[in-house]
Amino acid sequence: MSISHLLPILDNISPYKQYGKVTQVVGLMIESQGPQASVGDLCSITLGHGQKRRILAEVVGFREQNVLLMPYDRVEDISPGSLVESMNHALQVKVGTSMIGSVVDGLGRPIDESFFTEGLQKVPTDNTPPNPLKRPRIQEPLSLGVKAVDSLFSVGKGQRLGIFAGSGVGKSTLMAMIAKNSEADLNVIALIGERGREVRDFIERDLGEAGLSNTIVVVATSDQPALMRIKGAMTATAISEYFRDQGLNVTLMMDSVTRVAMAQREVGLAIGEPPTTKGYTPSVFALLPRLLERSGMSEQGSITAFYTVLVDGDDMNEPIADSVRGILDGHLVLDRRLANKGHFPAINVLTSISRVMNDLVSDDHRATADYMRHMLSVYSESEDLINIGAYKKGTNKEVDVAIAKYPEIMSFLKQGLHDSHDFKETAASMIQQFGIGGK
């Protein structure tokens, strides 16, 4: 049997193990003397005096001749002189089809008592985005089963959309609707920085058994170290990339990018980066495009991605929202006023946009969507006068039409959590109701 194909691998294997020892711990940061390692390399630290256990940590920088490490776990038992061993490679996770229907942590390990070992392949979590010249154009629509999105903000396979909202406006509900109703081959959902209680609520109440059967959920809760939350986002993206390379159309949903940015800010401040815009460090604005650009089209398949962004005080111009909006191919803004009225999904039509919709839909579909947006805009401009009774019918013909059409349009866009609508049926229905024949 020939072993010539193994020779290059053997050439790269070091016969020695690299060790170091912990010298100090300051806040989130572990400083060690040695081992020989590069930024991004994985290390294991031996803790405890009696029953020894190991935790994983990552090299995030250097200070003089010492190595700076961030742990993936809590470090209560660490002590001066604790042994640090370099693993000589960056974090890798095991991925395979047997993971589908399971819930894993930020390192790809099952946390729902599932056990999968068959057909798993190790993949790095931090990959480079596809070559921009090798990305096929987005030309095929993806049915999400959500009328408001399919009709006015049609999404294509490989598109990346942001979902911008304050807390409690329906982000998780919209994500669950997309996961259950989308025609994608597979869903990957990353819950980053969520409250522990909300994880099970989302999986059992919002997603349900039917939704989970075609989904991989990656969880990194708010109590976990900052690096674990960042790796949760990286791992979910790496899992999506693996299945995209198998030729599948994957839907990736990440809730939320804001908490990933906050975790990176914690890491940046701990290693001595200067705080810049609203306390965010420069590495935050370097991480976001590197993470978000990894999704999208490739020559093998597609990752259609939805990234939720928490906007404090519904401020759409805060730094993370502004940065993410400039990277993605469109955004859906959820409006608290609509949510308070019981209108779900609470998408504000006039402040949302899909940048590739015109390449995906027919002329009739596009014209009808423009007409519906125009009617909502006309109504919005005169809404205060209408509500206080100061507007007199007949004063403006266009406003009269908008007043008549407004309840119909809002009723069309409203949808229950368990309702599903096909893209073609939604397009035909809106053209019939609001197109040339419906005017």
Side-chain angles (χ1 to χ4, degrees):
M1 184 176 68
S2 174
I3 62 167
S4 59
H5 65 287
L6 298 176
L7 293 178
I9 300 174
L10 292 173
D11 288 340
N12 292 324
I13 295 176
S14 173
Y16 304 104
K17 287 188 175 182
Q18 301 284 345
Y19 289 100
K21 61 180 181 179
V22 172
T23 56
Q24 69 172 348
V25 177
V26 181
L28 304 172
M29 189 63 55
I30 302 169
E31 193 168 325
S32 72
Q33 186 177 351
Q36 184 69 35
S38 305
V39 171
D41 277 359
L42 207 59
C43 294
S44 71
I45 305 174
T46 304
L47 306 180
H49 301 287
Q51 185 177 2
K52 295 186 182 296
R53 69 182 182 95
R54 291 187 171 192
I55 64 165
L56 293 176
E58 184 175 308
V59 179
V60 294
F62 306 97
R63 181 175 291 133
E64 296 176 353
Q65 300 300 313
N66 287 347
V67 179
L68 301 179
L69 299 152
M70 290 285 288
Y72 291 140
D73 206 344
R74 293 193 295 270
V75 293
E76 285 89 349
D77 297 332
I78 201 165
S79 59
S82 291
L83 197 65
V84 181
E85 179 185 344
S86 173
M87 303 177 75
N88 296 316
H89 62 77
L91 178 66
Q92 297 177 322
V93 293
K94 293 181 179 180
V95 187
T97 54
S98 58
M99 294 177 70
I100 298 174
S102 63
V103 183
V104 300
D105 68 5
L107 303 182
R109 303 172 299 197
I111 59 174
D112 60 349
E113 298 181 356
S114 59
F115 185 73
F116 45 83
T117 56
E118 297 180 2
L120 297 183
Q121 181 178 333
K122 282 189 175 181
V123 297
T125 59
D126 196 356
N127 299 307
T128 55
N131 186 321
L133 295 182
K134 292 184 178 179
R135 285 182 184 261
R137 293 184 61 202
I138 300 170
Q139 296 178 316
E140 188 178 350
L142 177 70
S143 175
L144 300 180
V146 181
K147 283 202 298 183
V149 181
D150 285 343
S151 58
L152 299 182
F153 311 102
S154 303
V155 174
K157 290 179 181 177
Q159 187 174 350
R160 300 160 304 148
L161 244 73
I163 301 175
F164 293 74
S167 56
V169 188
K171 296 185 303 299
S172 298
T173 303
L174 179 57
M175 282 174 51
M177 290 171 70
I178 293 171
K180 287 192 288 188
N181 302 329
S182 166
E183 64 177 15
D185 300 317
L186 176 72
N187 302 305
V188 179
I189 300 178
L191 302 177
I192 310 299
E194 286 282 357
R195 305 173 188 89
R197 174 190 61 80
E198 290 184 341
V199 172
R200 189 164 182 177
D201 282 353
F202 174 80
I203 292 170
E204 294 184 359
R205 181 192 63 201
D206 297 336
L207 195 58
E209 190 174 335
L212 184 60
S213 65
N214 194 38
T215 300
I216 299 171
V217 182
V218 181
V219 175
T221 51
S222 58
D223 61 298
Q224 293 180 316
L227 199 61
M228 193 68 158
R229 283 173 267 148
I230 297 170
K231 290 304 171 185
M234 295 287 190
T235 295
T237 307
I239 292 171
S240 303
E241 289 170 330
Y242 171 83
F243 287 104
R244 176 178 66 183
D245 292 343
Q246 308 302 310
L248 300 183
N249 295 311
V250 182
T251 298
L252 168 65
M253 285 167 275
M254 189 176 296
D255 185 15
S256 70
V257 173
T258 307
R259 295 193 181 109
V260 177
M262 288 177 174
Q264 181 61 40
R265 177 174 63 183
E266 287 182 44
V267 173
L269 292 172
I271 62 176
E273 281 191 76
T276 53
T277 312
K278 282 200 173 180
Y280 288 102
T281 57
S283 61
V284 172
F285 300 100
L287 172 71
L288 288 175
R290 198 172 84 238
L291 175 65
L292 303 181
E293 284 288 351
R294 287 170 60 184
S295 55
M297 293 292 293
S298 77
E299 294 176 304
Q300 291 79 29
S302 68
I303 300 175
T304 307
F306 297 87
Y307 300 98
T308 70
V309 181
L310 280 167
V311 285
D312 295 332
D314 298 329
D315 176 16
M316 290 299 299
N317 296 315
E318 62 97 25
I320 300 304
D322 209 36
S323 179
V324 170
R325 193 166 52 239
I327 298 168
L328 299 180
D329 308 317
H331 53 270
L332 304 174
V333 179
L334 303 189
D335 193 325
R336 191 174 299 278
R337 291 183 305 166
L338 289 174
N340 291 340
K341 293 177 183 177
H343 180 103
F344 291 100
I347 299 172
N348 187 324
V349 172
L350 301 180
T351 55
S352 304
I353 190 172
S354 170
R355 290 185 176 135
V356 300
M357 178 176 173
N358 290 346
D359 298 330
L360 305 173
V361 300
S362 66
D363 291 340
D364 285 346
H365 186 152
R366 182 170 58 251
T368 305
D370 288 343
Y371 174 74
M372 292 170 69
R373 272 191 288 266
H374 178 64
M375 286 293 99
L376 291 175
S377 176
V378 170
Y379 183 88
S380 177
E381 289 172 1
S382 304
E383 187 172 16
D384 290 341
L385 292 175
I386 296 166
N387 288 339
I388 65 173
Y391 176 78
K392 292 183 179 180
K393 188 176 180 180
T395 305
N396 185 310
K397 185 178 179 181
E398 198 171 46
V399 175
D400 291 343
V401 175
I403 293 172
K405 290 289 183 184
Y406 181 79
E408 296 177 34
I409 294 173
M410 297 306 286
S411 176
F412 178 83
L413 299 177
K414 193 173 181 179
Q415 182 174 333
L417 175 61
H418 302 291
D419 297 340
S420 178
H421 301 272
D422 180 71
F423 179 86
K424 292 181 179 178
E425 292 176 359
T426 296
S429 175
M430 69 178 284
I431 291 170
Q432 181 182 6
Q433 189 172 352
F434 303 106
I436 296 173
K439 295 180 188 178

Tab-separated table of all heavy atoms in Angstrom, residues 37-42 58-62 68 90:
chain	number	residue	atom	x	y	z
A	37	ALA	N	3.614	29.849	20.052
A	37	ALA	CA	2.308	29.749	19.385
A	37	ALA	C	2.061	31.001	18.564
A	37	ALA	O	2.726	32.027	18.752
A	37	ALA	CB	1.196	29.556	20.418
A	38	SER	N	1.074	30.915	17.671
A	38	SER	CA	0.691	32.044	16.827
A	38	SER	C	-0.675	32.559	17.256
A	38	SER	O	-1.447	31.834	17.901
A	38	SER	CB	0.638	31.619	15.355
A	38	SER	OG	1.858	31.055	14.943
A	39	VAL	N	-0.993	33.789	16.883
A	39	VAL	CA	-2.320	34.344	17.168
A	39	VAL	C	-3.379	33.467	16.504
A	39	VAL	O	-3.269	33.116	15.329
A	39	VAL	CB	-2.426	35.789	16.661
A	39	VAL	CG1	-3.865	36.288	16.760
A	39	VAL	CG2	-1.504	36.710	17.456
A	40	GLY	N	-4.402	33.090	17.277
A	40	GLY	CA	-5.459	32.222	16.775
A	40	GLY	C	-5.270	30.764	17.123
A	40	GLY	O	-6.200	29.961	16.989
A	41	ASP	N	-4.048	30.377	17.573
A	41	ASP	CA	-3.802	28.978	17.934
A	41	ASP	C	-4.578	28.587	19.187
A	41	ASP	O	-4.836	29.406	20.073
A	41	ASP	CB	-2.314	28.737	18.185
A	41	ASP	CG	-1.540	28.495	16.894
A	41	ASP	OD1	-2.172	28.503	15.825
A	41	ASP	OD2	-0.304	28.304	16.958
A	42	LEU	N	-4.918	27.321	19.256
A	42	LEU	CA	-5.637	26.767	20.395
A	42	LEU	C	-4.625	26.242	21.410
A	42	LEU	O	-3.609	25.652	21.046
A	42	LEU	CB	-6.529	25.631	19.908
A	42	LEU	CG	-7.789	25.287	20.689
A	42	LEU	CD1	-8.715	26.495	20.773
A	42	LEU	CD2	-8.508	24.122	20.021
A	58	GLU	N	-7.541	30.458	23.657
A	58	GLU	CA	-7.046	30.862	22.343
A	58	GLU	C	-6.034	31.989	22.494
A	58	GLU	O	-6.219	32.892	23.321
A	58	GLU	CB	-8.206	31.314	21.450
A	58	GLU	CG	-7.785	31.671	20.038
A	58	GLU	CD	-8.979	32.004	19.156
A	58	GLU	OE1	-9.926	31.192	19.106
A	58	GLU	OE2	-8.976	33.088	18.541
A	59	VAL	N	-4.973	31.927	21.696
A	59	VAL	CA	-3.972	32.991	21.700
A	59	VAL	C	-4.559	34.208	20.993
A	59	VAL	O	-4.945	34.134	19.832
A	59	VAL	CB	-2.680	32.539	20.996
A	59	VAL	CG1	-1.648	33.672	20.982
A	59	VAL	CG2	-2.094	31.301	21.666
A	60	VAL	N	-4.633	35.333	21.710
A	60	VAL	CA	-5.221	36.545	21.134
A	60	VAL	C	-4.202	37.676	20.989
A	60	VAL	O	-4.511	38.729	20.434
A	60	VAL	CB	-6.422	37.038	21.973
A	60	VAL	CG1	-7.565	36.046	21.905
A	60	VAL	CG2	-6.018	37.305	23.415
A	61	GLY	N	-2.986	37.479	21.497
A	61	GLY	CA	-1.986	38.526	21.366
A	61	GLY	C	-0.756	38.214	22.195
A	61	GLY	O	-0.640	37.139	22.805
A	62	PHE	N	0.163	39.180	22.206
A	62	PHE	CA	1.408	39.018	22.958
A	62	PHE	C	1.722	40.315	23.689
A	62	PHE	O	1.359	41.406	23.232
A	62	PHE	CB	2.570	38.657	22.019
A	62	PHE	CG	2.294	37.455	21.161
A	62	PHE	CD1	1.830	37.595	19.862
A	62	PHE	CD2	2.463	36.180	21.669
A	62	PHE	CE1	1.555	36.492	19.079
A	62	PHE	CE2	2.191	35.065	20.898
A	62	PHE	CZ	1.739	35.224	19.594
A	68	LEU	N	-0.711	36.069	25.435
A	68	LEU	CA	-2.010	36.464	25.994
A	68	LEU	C	-3.068	35.491	25.495
A	68	LEU	O	-3.215	35.276	24.291
A	68	LEU	CB	-2.361	37.888	25.572
A	68	LEU	CG	-1.373	38.988	25.982
A	68	LEU	CD1	-1.848	40.342	25.470
A	68	LEU	CD2	-1.180	39.021	27.486
A	90	ALA	N	-5.534	26.220	14.839
A	90	ALA	CA	-6.684	27.032	15.251
A	90	ALA	C	-7.871	26.116	15.557
A	90	ALA	O	-7.837	24.909	15.274
A	90	ALA	CB	-7.039	28.026	14.156
